[in-house]
Amino acid sequence: MRFKPIKPKKVSSQIADQIRESILAGDFSPGDKLPPERELAEMFGVSRPSVREALNILSSAGLVMSYQGGGTVVLSLVDAGQGNALSELIRSQQDRALEVIEVRKCMESWTAYYAAQRALPEDLRRMEEIVANMEKNLEGQLPSEDLDANLHIVIARATHNIVWLHLMQSLFDAMKEFQRSVWRAVYLTLEDHNLLYSHHSGIVAAIRARDAEGARSAMMDHLTFAEQRSTVYVARQPA
């Protein structure tokens, strides 16, 4: 039997491994900033040069990008540049957003399905907090557009499949401007807001009940409704 010599692992590699695992576990979404070098050095109990070297390792792997004076940002596993191109396309041709919603219907019905099977207690707690805040906004007649988007991302995170999460985040980043416009132009009445709240609370209830098919169906119904309203919005825009 032949054994290979044990090689001690550099501190920077160990730091990079832990941060990589945290990113791939979904603790950070695309666009999130990592803690500053000083804080990371304190967390790991190491020097700042070791942290800097670890971040360089992650940057070379395409997981993060460091900006002078802007910190270190987590990158998408799917091409973030394509997300920017899609955002520009939607801005210039708004009917393309309807094609994105069509893709979302396929993707998100299944993220809800897998979230119902895999969500951990902390995932459910995040969802329930968002729905509770939606209810408060409803009582105060305030919009919940940011909470809406956040809930969909939290559901994707609850699949514990990093590819689902990064794909969803990239699509939402591209659709952000369009979605805000739809919210402010189409969802105008208390009845509209009640209906949206009912959709989201129903999706979360199915996930909490571990009803995968029910969650998938509820998400499909919700996004079909969103597709219909978005189609109305696009039709109203000047040619």
Side-chain angles (χ1 to χ4, degrees), residues 82-94 96 174 177:
Q82 295 301 317
N84 293 334
L86 180 58
S87 182
E88 289 300 321
L89 181 62
I90 292 169
R91 190 174 292 115
S92 61
Q93 300 178 27
Q94 291 203 330
R96 297 294 180 183
E177 185 178 326

Side-chain angles (χ1 to χ4, degrees), residues 2-238:
R2 297 180 62 185
F3 292 108
K4 295 180 180 178
I6 299 297
K7 297 180 181 178
K9 201 166 189 178
K10 290 179 66 176
V11 169
S12 58
S13 295
Q14 295 180 60
I15 297 167
D17 286 347
Q18 287 198 45
I19 296 175
R20 181 186 295 108
E21 286 174 12
S22 188
I23 292 172
L24 296 181
D27 295 335
F28 297 96
S29 296
D32 285 351
K33 283 187 178 181
L34 295 179
E37 282 184 10
R38 175 181 52 78
E39 288 184 25
L40 287 172
E42 290 174 0
M43 289 176 185
F44 287 110
V46 298
S47 66
R48 289 182 66 172
S50 293
V51 169
R52 195 170 302 122
E53 187 176 349
L55 295 177
N56 286 337
I57 293 170
L58 296 171
S59 180
S60 298
L63 288 174
V64 303
M65 181 173 288
S66 296
Y67 297 91
Q68 188 68 35
T72 301
V73 177
V74 176
L75 298 178
S76 175
L77 293 177
V78 297
D79 189 349
Q82 295 301 317
N84 293 334
L86 180 58
S87 182
E88 289 300 321
L89 181 62
I90 292 169
R91 190 174 292 115
S92 61
Q93 300 178 27
Q94 291 203 330
D95 57 327
R96 297 294 180 183
L98 303 178
E99 296 178 2
V100 177
I101 295 173
E102 186 176 290
V103 172
R104 282 184 57 196
K105 286 169 67 177
C106 299
M107 286 179 56
E108 292 197 63
S109 58
W110 285 103
T111 59
Y113 179 94
Y114 288 118
Q117 293 183 330
R118 302 171 182 168
L120 299 175
E122 55 264 34
D123 298 319
L124 295 172
R125 187 169 58 252
R126 290 191 193 104
M127 293 179 208
E128 288 163 358
E129 284 175 0
I130 293 171
V131 169
N133 285 327
M134 284 181 166
E135 186 174 17
K136 288 180 184 176
N137 283 351
L138 193 60
E139 293 168 355
Q141 298 185 26
L142 299 171
S144 290
E145 55 196 78
D146 292 334
L147 292 171
D148 184 333
N150 192 24
L151 179 61
H152 287 264
I153 295 299
V154 168
I155 290 171
R157 181 178 283 112
T159 66
H160 296 279
N161 180 325
I162 195 66
V163 180
W164 278 127
L165 174 60
H166 282 229
L167 283 170
M168 281 290 304
Q169 186 71 62
S170 294
L171 286 181
F172 265 77
D173 287 346
M175 289 279 284
K176 189 179 297 181
E177 185 178 326
F178 176 83
Q179 293 286 69
R180 284 187 181 277
S181 299
V182 171
W183 254 93
R184 294 169 185 179
V186 179
Y187 300 123
L188 300 176
T189 68
L190 182 59
E191 182 182 359
D192 290 333
H193 292 173
N194 271 311
L195 192 55
L196 287 171
Y197 170 76
S198 176
H199 285 181
H200 290 108
S201 60
I203 293 165
V204 172
I207 292 172
R208 188 192 311 115
R210 303 296 180 187
D211 179 2
E213 283 294 346
R216 187 171 72 87
S217 178
M219 181 66 83
M220 180 63 79
D221 289 345
H222 167 59
L223 289 174
T224 298
F225 172 76
E227 182 180 44
Q228 292 165 351
R229 288 302 182 92
S230 298
T231 300
V232 170
Y233 169 78
V234 169
R236 290 177 182 173
Q237 303 312 298

